[in-house]
Amino acid sequence: MLTRARTARFESHYVDQQAEGADHVIAVQVGARGVVMVDGLTSRQAVLDFAQRVMRLVPHPDSDLDGLTTIQDIGLASGQPGLAGLGSGELRAHTERSSIPRPPRLMFLVCLRPAVSGGQVILIDGRAVQNDLAASAPAAIEAMSLRGTAFYGDGGGRPSRIFTPHLGGRISIRFRQDELSQFSPLVSCFLPALRHAIAANESAFLLEPGQGYLIDNQRYLHARAAFLGPRLCVRALGMPSFPLPNGFAAGSVAAEYRAGVTPGPKEAGGQSGNGAAGEGWKVR
């Protein structure tokens, strides 16, 4: 059964994952927009079944035997470096598994039990961040694209960079801002501008049970607001089971949304190529 309690922001990325042709629409929308919202996944097994439709699961150090990771407050242990996501405090915008050589391309998170208060998930489109910086501080883009100007992980960190150029003019973002991140002086002076662009492009969602999001981890940063209560989520990480070019195409995010998503089955609630929304749920 579909979850009807959805905000306009949630609905603007929504695809009915139970509809005919949904997998095609999801693949196209992840490629075009970098994010998909789904609902109707009210059990761990349902989350796993959906994840296996769209990705080849990649284990996480904290994942369980089924490949999924339980995301809940583990108390004082969450104060250890890199474990803020397993606490109840604010989780700052970051790329999932930024410190490993090849982070998983897809991240999928579903809420099974919401918090008593707070706990909003926060998504930030790296394409919009890059666009804003290119317009306001082009020197920042140049510096953040240099190899070895960011270091992520323990033991001094793995050399990296915030923006990585790819063939065809595409770009990916890799960022974290916790105790496991360090930056070259070439980049440090531009971090306030980057954080301002991130804050300006935040979208917050309060997920209800069974609702979740699927993001391109090379395009979207994610964060979480602090919360109270026994919030319970389940997360899957993996590589896409569909073709997905590296990064995102630099350009206007507004133009991308005006153009709409490549045509797919209307029953899946995706947006058609002429900008008309699929049946049942309007795309705003």
Side-chain angles (χ1 to χ4, degrees), residues 1-275:
M1 180 179 295
L2 294 180
T3 303
R4 296 285 174 164
R6 297 204 297 259
T7 65
R9 284 183 174 178
F10 182 99
E11 195 171 312
S12 67
H13 301 297
Y14 176 78
V15 173
D16 179 358
Q17 54 88 17
Q18 300 179 77
E20 180 182 355
D23 288 3
H24 168 77
V25 174
I26 289 167
V28 170
Q29 186 162 311
V30 170
R33 296 186 181 178
V35 58
V36 167
M37 300 289 181
V38 296
D39 64 4
L41 303 173
T42 55
S43 70
R44 187 183 185 96
Q45 187 60 50
V47 175
L48 180 61
D49 290 344
F50 176 84
Q52 291 175 332
R53 285 165 49 187
V54 299
M55 70 175 75
R56 300 182 300 278
L57 268 67
V58 173
H60 183 278
D62 299 316
S63 61
D64 300 308
L65 293 178
D66 59 4
L68 302 180
T69 303
T70 302
I71 306 296
Q72 60 185 343
D73 182 11
I74 62 172
L76 294 178
S78 66
Q80 300 176 54
L83 292 183
L86 299 178
S88 60
E90 176 191 14
L91 181 64
R92 302 181 74 183
H94 66 287
T95 299
E96 189 61 34
R97 305 232 65 200
S98 59
S99 60
I100 65 174
R102 190 185 181 201
R105 188 64 195 272
L106 298 179
M107 173 182 161
F108 178 50
L109 183 137
V110 174
C111 175
L112 296 182
R113 184 175 61 233
V116 174
S117 64
Q120 294 90 340
V121 298
I122 301 166
L123 301 181
I124 304 98
D125 188 349
R127 183 180 182 186
V129 171
Q130 193 271 344
N131 286 345
D132 285 1
L133 279 178
S136 64
I141 297 293
E142 182 177 354
M144 293 175 186
S145 300
L146 296 175
R147 297 177 187 270
T149 51
F151 304 87
Y152 301 137
D154 55 12
R158 178 179 297 276
S160 187
R161 48 184 162 176
I162 296 172
F163 293 108
T164 299
H166 301 281
L167 293 175
R170 298 180 70 85
I171 303 167
S172 60
I173 186 170
R174 187 191 292 211
F175 184 59
R176 67 187 300 158
Q177 44 186 334
D178 60 2
E179 57 277 297
L180 296 181
S181 62
Q182 300 180 58
F183 300 94
S184 160
L186 293 172
V187 165
S188 296
C189 60
F190 294 115
L191 290 179
L194 174 61
R195 292 188 174 111
H196 177 79
I198 288 172
N201 288 286
E202 290 181 346
S203 292
F205 305 83
L206 191 59
L207 297 177
E208 297 294 331
Q211 294 180 339
Y213 65 84
L214 174 69
I215 57 171
D216 179 352
N217 196 38
Q218 286 189 0
R219 173 167 175 171
Y220 265 82
L221 305 176
H222 65 283
R224 184 200 65 218
F227 65 89
L228 295 174
R231 181 179 187 266
L232 176 64
C233 294
V234 179
R235 183 189 65 200
L237 304 174
M239 297 301 179
S241 56
F242 49 87
L244 188 60
N246 279 324
F248 51 86
S252 169
V253 176
E256 174 185 274
Y257 275 75
R258 287 196 298 271
V261 174
T262 302
K266 292 178 69 176
E267 291 81 1
Q271 193 172 14
S272 64
N274 62 6

